[in-house]
Structures are given as structure tokens and as C-alpha cells.
Amino acid sequence: MAAASRPAAGGKIEIEAADDFVITGQTQITSATFIGVITGAIPTVGEVAVEIYRVFPFDSVIPPSGNVPTRANSPSDVAYDTRDSGLATLSFLTSTLSPNFTAQNSVLNGINKSPNQTTGGEGPVSGMEVQFTVNFVTPFDLATNHYFFIPQVQITGGEFYWLSSVRPIVAPGTPFAPDLQAWTRNANLDPDWLRIGTDIVGGDPPPTFDEAFTLTGQTVAVPEPASLPLLAAGLSALVFARRRKKTA
């Protein structure tokens, strides 16, 4: 499955494709990779963005609109945190894995409110298979929780489609539970989301998808209770020093 995911640019509306991951301790995410297909005769990569969402009902309006079959286990209404090459908060490199690659099904324009959400997908797409390696200038600082990862790529002269991976996760991937399926939305569906497999492709039973990505980071040590007063005192001194510098 190839799911379009792009920022709003060049007269095209925003599309967000999302897949989940779990953090089990305070962690700083420093880099990521993701794999997709870039279509077009002479495509040019522009802006690259990465968004982190929490799982609904965090950061969301309750009750939801009712415009989709369900919001259970979906991403939230709004992003928890973002990084963007256009704002110089991330840098990226690309590497071509295959000059000619075909995904057997895709989602680009067929992202519709209920009851018209099930389209079966939009058929095969072909292009270059490309891996993006993204480094975050400021790491994502994430507490223990369940999150969604959303990469977006602006392409002039084509489209970017995020490719699915093996489901369930197998080595060298890191299995976790619950492993939620991939979701998508566009600006017309916002703030709601659709499941790419269950809602859009459909079937009996419907397919479910995981997307191809990796995250790299480091666990942040949490101070022991006895050290917290000292840490707090240090933070107070730091804030004070900054204030003095501003008023000098």
C-alpha cells in the first residue's frame, strides 16, 4: 500500500498518513527514516515535515464529529509536536533504493467522509523507491505513551507516497502491543481520520497496514526523588541568570 502524505503547497491540500509507535520511558527522538515512492517524470523534493500525534482522545474535541466510522485508536485532532525543514528544525537526506518500483494499491484523492469512505483504493502507482533519513535539530522529547508518526514530503512535479511494511512487525523490527493500523486524512476530513485498510480499502475481512519507518533516540534518565530539590534549585538559578542577561 502506498499512502500519500504531503504538506499543503503549490495549490495541493494537505494529506497526513499516520502509523503508531510506543514509548516506554522518557525518550529523546533524534532521527528517523521512512520509505516511500516518488512519482513524476522529473520530481523535485521540497519541504519535509515530521509530526507526532498522540492517540485520540488526547488533544481532541469530545465528542467527535461523526463524519467517520470511528475515532477509536486514531490519531488525535491536532499534532502534539512537529519538525519542519522549512523552519530549519530538521535536515534530511535521500537515497534511491530502486529506480522503478510499483505499489499494488494507493490512496491519494479518495479520502472521503462517511458514508462514502470505502473506495477500494486507487490502484497501482509506480516511481522511485526512496528512503528519507531525517535528523531533528531539536529532538522530540516524549514521555511514556502511545504516539503516531507522520512524515510529509512536498514534491514538485509528482507525489510522495509512504509505503507500507510487514504486518505484524517481525525482526529486525521491534514488535509492540497494541500495534494499531495506519490512518490517513486530508484537509477536507480534518480533524477526523480514516483507517487506510478497514475504512478505505474495505473487504471481508479488510486488510490492515503498518508503514515503513524507524526511529532512533535515547532514554532520558529520571532523577531519583532525593536529587529533585537540587535539580529544582539548579533550574531556578538558570532561569534567573537568563532573566538577568535579558535585562542587562
Side-chain angles (χ1 to χ4, degrees):
M1 171 56 70
S5 197
R6 69 191 186 203
K12 297 179 179 179
I13 65 172
E14 182 179 30
I15 303 174
E16 298 166 283
D19 197 15
D20 66 314
F21 65 99
V22 170
I23 294 292
T24 58
Q26 191 75 33
T27 300
Q28 291 187 339
I29 303 297
T30 55
S31 63
T33 68
F34 55 92
I35 297 174
V37 169
I38 295 176
T39 66
I42 310 177
T44 302
V45 177
E47 178 186 2
V48 174
V50 169
E51 303 174 317
I52 302 295
Y53 280 69
R54 296 194 288 182
V55 179
F56 182 87
F58 284 109
D59 312 316
S60 301
V61 173
I62 305 297
S65 69
N67 288 328
V68 293
T70 184
R71 287 296 304 276
N73 293 324
S74 82
S76 56
D77 287 5
V78 297
Y80 178 70
D81 205 355
T82 63
R83 301 289 184 269
D84 193 318
S85 65
L87 300 175
T89 53
L90 68 77
S91 61
F92 68 91
L93 297 171
T94 62
S95 57
T96 300
L97 303 181
S98 173
N100 298 291
F101 182 90
T102 298
Q104 296 306 308
N105 204 352
S106 61
V107 174
L108 172 63
N109 298 311
I111 303 173
N112 308 313
K113 296 178 181 179
S114 295
N116 301 312
Q117 74 276 2
T118 304
T119 67
E122 295 163 62
V125 292
S126 298
M128 293 185 296
E129 183 185 19
V130 177
Q131 176 173 292
F132 285 76
T133 300
V134 178
N135 291 294
F136 304 119
V137 176
T138 302
F140 287 105
D141 194 3
L142 302 178
T144 298
N145 211 332
H146 205 150
Y147 298 91
F148 280 92
F149 174 80
I150 298 176
Q152 295 179 297
V153 180
Q154 176 199 356
I155 301 293
T156 301
E159 294 287 352
F160 169 78
Y161 293 84
W162 192 13
L163 287 173
S164 62
S165 184
V166 176
R167 181 180 171 89
I169 301 170
V170 296
T174 306
F176 61 90
D179 177 15
L180 308 178
Q181 62 178 298
W183 295 71
T184 190
R185 72 177 179 188
N186 60 20
N188 297 325
L189 192 66
D190 187 351
D192 294 310
W193 296 83
L194 291 169
R195 295 165 292 187
I196 294 173
T198 301
D199 297 328
I200 295 179
V201 176
D204 186 18
T208 58
F209 300 103
D210 281 338
E211 302 299 298
F213 73 102
T214 68
L215 300 174
T216 300
Q218 57 186 7
T219 302
V220 179
V222 178
E224 295 295 328
S227 68
L228 288 177
L230 180 60
L231 176 62
L235 288 174
S236 296
L238 178 61
V239 171
F240 180 70
R242 288 174 62 87
R243 287 176 179 167
R244 286 186 64 186
K245 186 174 182 180
K246 288 179 180 178
T247 57

